[in-house]
Amino acid sequence: MERNEFKRKVIEYAHSIGIDEIGFTHAEPFLEFKEKLVDYHKRGYASGFEKGSIEERTEPDLSLESASSIISIAVGYPNKLPDAPKSKKGERRGIFARASWGVDYHTLLNDRLSRLEEYIKTMDPAVETKSMVDTGVLSDREVARRSGLGYIGKNGFMINPNLGTYSYLGEMITSYPFPPDEELIDSCGDCNLCVDRCPTGALVGNGQLDSQKCISFLTQTKGFLPDEYRNKIGNRLYGCDTCQQVCPRNKGINTDHHEDIVLEPEILKPELTGLLEISNRDFKETYGHLAGVWRGKKPIQRNAIIALAHFRETASVEVLKRVAENDARPVIKGTAYWAIGRILGNDALEYINERYKMEADEEVKEEMLKGIQEAV
């Protein structure tokens, strides 16, 4: 079969199985991206969640020795939550970032890539393939950019004309030499909204991100949240959408036609106190299908406590006291004590002082002192 005809059939099949955008590129090394990665690591911007060495991230043939081309796919996801419950006094709610709405996108994309692989091999059984979604070594965004799916905006996201920034990305390295697509030449121009509105100044220009400052990264860490960021995360339980929400290229876009992306308002915008004493089993049953809980319940619970402090939610104090007194995890215990001080102010002094005498963990005691200091 002629190469362009093979490519056309693959595109048609991809659209039939719920892939919104598909592009093709060669499998040569990503040389410019390699230079950016070296600089990225030198500046200390890496999150630590990245997979593979710089060479593995930029040389496709290290993942598939016979690599000849790469197929990039994009699946749009919703950015509006119908019938979202209201967060109100006495019933404050948190929010999961939009990329975590619906079934875990790794499952969603891997299913589509698996079906696409099977289709390609029915056309040519000799083709070798290797697919990746987020947890692979290649950069999904860089592959998408070179495949013509979009350009990289100042917020670091791949911006597609039809999907904006709200899309899941994945790729398939293949031994078949599919004809490459042209890169999309576009830019953000003079627009600097995402950089200006980033709550922590994590966007450092030219699409670069200081992950150590990024709220999306911070919400996924497991330790105590650094003091300077506690007032920044608001009610975010996982991730941050600010740099996408302010992007003009997302105006009027809301991809909601995928039947396997089911929105659950009560789960995606949960009542905060209900998260604090939930069992491991109930947490997994209720939230386990979301991409946003890949680090477990501890970061979510810590963020929920910080959110209650953000709201100064007095109705949560009794629950916070139970957590502070009974939870064995220092991060959760200490953050709860800190939050009590933030919420009650001077009224927390007697309680915190009394509990301080009974506490042995030094990190927890430090958080208790912070609560007192912020109360006075």
Side-chain angles (χ1 to χ4, degrees), residues 181-326:
D181 291 316
E182 293 184 8
E183 295 178 17
L184 179 63
I185 306 300
D186 205 338
S187 74
C188 299
D190 294 332
C191 181
N192 212 45
L193 280 173
C194 59
V195 177
D196 294 339
R197 300 283 183 84
C198 177
T200 59
L203 295 171
V204 294
N206 299 319
Q208 274 199 316
L209 171 75
D210 182 348
S211 296
Q212 299 298 318
K213 293 182 178 180
C214 177
I215 286 178
S216 184
F217 162 73
L218 291 166
T219 60
Q220 299 174 63
T221 58
K222 290 188 174 183
F224 286 102
L225 197 73
D227 296 346
E228 63 266 35
Y229 300 123
R230 295 189 190 185
N231 290 331
K232 303 288 187 180
I233 73 168
N235 69 332
R236 299 175 182 91
L237 296 172
Y238 167 82
C240 177
D241 289 321
T242 298
C243 64
Q244 298 191 84
Q245 289 175 288
V246 302
C247 179
R249 297 300 176 95
N250 284 327
K251 187 176 181 180
I253 292 176
N254 182 39
T255 308
D256 59 359
H257 59 267
H258 293 292
E259 294 183 358
D260 52 352
I261 301 180
V262 180
L263 302 183
E264 305 160 290
E266 286 289 336
I267 291 175
L268 301 178
K269 196 176 177 183
E271 200 274 318
L272 291 167
T273 56
L275 291 166
L276 302 190
E277 297 177 300
I278 190 171
S279 69
N280 290 333
R281 179 178 179 178
D282 287 346
F283 181 82
K284 187 173 182 179
E285 287 181 354
T286 305
Y287 301 99
H289 60 292
L290 302 180
V293 300
W294 73 283
R295 296 276 282 170
K297 75 173 183 177
K298 183 179 176 181
I300 303 297
Q301 290 179 313
R302 180 205 60 191
N303 299 338
I305 293 169
I306 294 172
L308 289 167
H310 164 76
F311 286 124
R312 299 290 206 278
E313 183 51 69
T314 55
S316 69
V317 169
E318 290 307 311
V319 177
L320 288 171
K321 285 182 177 179
R322 289 200 302 271
V323 171
E325 294 170 18
N326 300 314

Side-chain angles (χ1 to χ4, degrees), residues 13-179:
Y13 181 75
H15 290 320
S16 76
I17 60 171
I19 294 173
D20 292 314
E21 302 282 344
I22 181 170
F24 300 75
T25 186
H26 56 80
E28 294 300 310
F30 292 84
L31 298 179
E32 290 185 16
F33 182 59
K34 185 173 185 177
E35 292 179 7
K36 290 181 179 179
L37 278 180
V38 171
D39 181 65
Y40 179 73
H41 283 274
K42 280 183 179 178
R43 292 176 182 269
Y45 291 163
S47 69
F49 293 155
E50 297 89 354
K51 303 291 183 181
S53 65
I54 290 177
E55 287 71 27
E56 288 172 320
R57 298 194 69 195
T58 57
E59 299 176 30
D61 62 357
L62 293 180
S63 294
L64 183 68
E65 189 175 353
S66 60
S68 180
S69 63
I70 311 174
I71 301 172
S72 178
I73 69 167
V75 175
Y77 59 84
N79 59 78
K80 292 177 173 48
L81 186 61
D83 303 316
K86 300 291 184 183
S87 182
K88 56 189 178 183
K89 188 174 182 180
E91 194 179 321
R92 301 296 188 179
R93 292 178 176 270
I95 186 73
F96 283 88
R98 288 153 177 79
S100 186
W101 291 2
V103 67
D104 188 330
Y105 63 89
H106 300 89
T107 301
L108 185 138
L109 284 187
N110 278 319
D111 174 69
R112 285 161 168 74
L113 284 168
S114 178
R115 291 160 69 184
L116 191 61
E117 281 183 344
E118 291 176 4
Y119 177 78
I120 288 172
K121 289 176 180 179
T122 61
M123 304 283 283
D124 186 344
V127 176
E128 295 182 323
T129 60
K130 181 167 180 69
S131 294
M132 302 178 186
V133 178
D134 183 42
T135 53
V137 293
L138 295 183
S139 166
D140 300 332
R141 294 174 185 179
E142 187 62 20
V143 173
R145 182 199 64 76
R146 201 169 79 177
S147 300
L149 292 192
Y151 68 95
I152 305 300
K154 290 181 182 178
N155 59 8
F157 281 86
M158 191 277 294
I159 301 178
N160 176 273
N162 299 315
L163 304 175
T165 64
Y166 294 114
S167 66
Y168 303 132
L169 302 174
E171 60 274 343
M172 182 196 307
I173 308 172
T174 84
S175 61
Y176 187 86
F178 287 103

